[in-house]
Amino acid sequence: MDKKQSKKVGFSAAYLVVAILLASLFQELVFRPLVIRWTEVPYSQFLKQLEAGEIAEVTLTADRIMYTCCGDTGQPPRVNNVVRVEDPDLIQRLVDAGVTFSGKAPTNALLPALLGWIIPMLPLGLIWYFGMRRMGQTGMDVLSIGKSKAQEITGEKTGIKFEDVGGVEEVAVELKEIIDFLKDPERFTRLGAKLPKGVLLVGPPGTGKTLLAKATAGEAGVPFFSISGSDFVEMFVGVGAARVRDLFEQAKRRAPCIVFIDEIDAIGQSRVTVGAIGSNDEREQTLNQLLSEMDGFQPNQGVIIMAATNRPEILDRALLRPGRFDRQIQVGLPTEAGRRQILNIHTKNVQLAQDVDLDRVAQITAGFSGADLANIVNEAALLAVRAGRDAVTMGDFDLAIERVVAGLQRKITLKPELKRRVAYHEAGHALVAQVQPDTDPVHKVSIIPTAKGALGYTLQMPEEDIYLMSKRELEERLAVMLGGRAAELLIFNDTSTGAANDLEVVTGLARRMVTEFGMTEALGPVRYAMEAGTGYLGRPDMLRQDISPETATLIDKETRRIIEEAQQRAVALLRQHIDALHEIARILQEKEVISGEEIKRLVQKPTQLTESVG
Ligand code: ADP
Ligand code: MG
Ligand code: ZN
């Protein structure tokens, strides 16, 4: 597509240059001599020539004098041009000299000059116009700049199937329904079943979101229209919106089909977060058009809109509303098994030496995306070619991994000992969450390093902020956050820097319990924190100015007591369920992720003691 684009630009630019050159040539050689041969002379010279009787004919305008000379036989004669100065004797002088003179209304040479440009341009313009029209039929028309750039590749043609995407079983299951629908929309509409209009694939870059969308179309065997959000960012206002309209028009005609908007964050960025710097009219118009198109068609029309982003948090809320991208599918970094599959897919056509151990490659590449792995295979193959080998060796893989790691920097290959520590840390969080009655259930635990630099994470649902939580719930939350450190203490009899972030959150929360929520006996129901929004940078954890040093000390002491109690509680709970702790950590080391259901199977959650609120 880029090639076509640049050809088009190159074409018109070259055309313009030729046209201007031709026109100038025409001006110089043909038109100019026809119109005038023209010399500026000073008034004094005019007077001298007049007195000397050298002047044949004079034409006067309001501000100019034009004259020809007697001796000039040029065809047409040269016109001398004088700026008319204030000279009351001019007419007398002309009469005395006996030359023919006449006046003329002040026209200038603009019209002839213009004609001199326009006439030669005409044929060029015609050629250009017809040329463009012909190109328009092949889809390169400048005049149709608003037409959608979406390429249509039919699913059958891409031939991409789920088997070409590794480590996405869960995602494939979620997409299954969409595929069934696209295969036979009638069946769904007959039963009155409602399907999501939009599916948003969310995940870090290079995890195969684009590939998955193509595979969905491929599996269903329907046309696949794709466009990237960054394509919409055009310089002309209105073009993006026109493209969206056109894209949906095309898609509706070819239903059932998939419309895929890659990098939707480029247009779907929250209108609030963009701020007021510069005009974002274009992006906003495009977004509005997209929203109205999505609202404008019925789910049973057989068009499924898929989109991908790696920054869901910046998306405009409006996009995520029901009836739009109301289904989100997480496409995470691959697990060890997933990485193994991806390596399989990408080495299918690569000659591997006997010593290559893809299991090991998968093992040591925690945190690598599918794209990183594809990159490693390619890099290894290149190394083998360069060395003149006819098969890729394990040495090539090791070097390739090193290179990719160096290129990515952030990504860390977890050594087994470190992996074990991270596994116990996260297992500690998860287990404490699981065995307390009022804590949100664990959704998923992972020890795949994240792009943000965390070595692992425990995902609890829901994760929203503290709206209304009882003291006991807060204490449980503290214990969960200290669970990682507690597990390290218990198993390794030692703590690590990995808990620094946990401690930061814990300390902040415990302090708020003391200074904002009035949850200690010793300090009572008094607010010690500054008013929200005041204090340094609006930080609510600053203490009021009028607090005595003794009270401040007491606040610190109480905060510490709360944290220590929570830690003891965490340690006690882990001791009590030590077998489960070992088991969760073992599964994590093996598979890198463990689901909430699996944890539930290992330890039953005690019955809820309080109604959950908020
Ligand atoms: P995303 O859209 O999530 O950024 P892409 O789908 O563009 O990722 O992936 C880029 C390339 O990386 C793909 O073309 C493919 O070669 C490889 N890749 C990424 N994820 C996978 C996967 N799960 N299985 C196989 N190949 C993958
Ligand atoms: Mg992509
Ligand atoms: Zn932690």
Side-chain angles (χ1 to χ4, degrees), residues 231-252:
D231 291 351
F232 282 119
V233 185
E234 288 275 338
M235 42 183 177
F236 306 120
V237 172
V239 169
R243 265 196 196 147
V244 171
R245 202 177 313 124
D246 189 62
L247 178 65
F248 276 83
E249 231 166 68
Q250 281 185 45
K252 270 182 251 175

Side-chain angles (χ1 to χ4, degrees), residues 164-168 203-212 262 308 310 342 345-346 369-372 374:
D164 301 314
V165 196
V168 290
T207 46
K209 297 182 294 295
T210 309
L211 204 59
L212 267 168
D262 212 347
N310 44 39
I342 295 170
I345 291 166
H346 286 277
S369 69
D372 295 337

Side-chain angles (χ1 to χ4, degrees), residues 1 30 69 93 106 165 192 197 335 346 370 380 417 452 555 568:
M1 202 188 289
V30 188
C69 295
R93 284 184 217 264
V165 196
K197 266 187 213 169
T335 61
H346 286 277
E417 194 38 46
K452 286 184 187 130
I555 288 171
Q568 279 159 19

Side-chain angles (χ1 to χ4, degrees), residues 470-495:
S470 67
K471 184 177 166 199
R472 185 168 50 228
E473 281 171 310
L474 287 174
E475 283 168 352
E476 288 194 2
R477 186 180 268 229
L478 289 178
V480 170
M481 282 185 295
L482 288 162
R485 191 182 134 92
E488 283 186 67
L489 266 176
L490 214 58
I491 305 297
F492 304 94
N493 197 20
D494 166 19
T495 56

Side-chain angles (χ1 to χ4, degrees), residues 415-481:
K415 293 198 192 69
E417 194 38 46
L418 183 54
K419 196 167 172 177
R420 186 158 169 254
R421 197 180 258 276
V422 177
Y424 271 101
H425 180 103
E426 295 305 328
H429 283 306
L431 190 55
V432 175
Q434 183 63 26
V435 298
Q436 291 185 121
D438 284 334
T439 309
D440 297 324
V442 178
H443 182 64
K444 182 179 163 188
V445 185
S446 155
I447 60 163
I448 300 171
T450 68
K452 286 184 187 130
L455 293 178
Y457 59 89
T458 299
L459 203 62
Q460 269 174 282
M461 289 281 207
E463 264 202 314
E464 65 246 54
D465 210 37
I466 311 160
Y467 288 119
L468 183 56
M469 284 177 88
S470 67
K471 184 177 166 199
R472 185 168 50 228
E473 281 171 310
L474 287 174
E475 283 168 352
E476 288 194 2
R477 186 180 268 229
L478 289 178
V480 170
M481 282 185 295

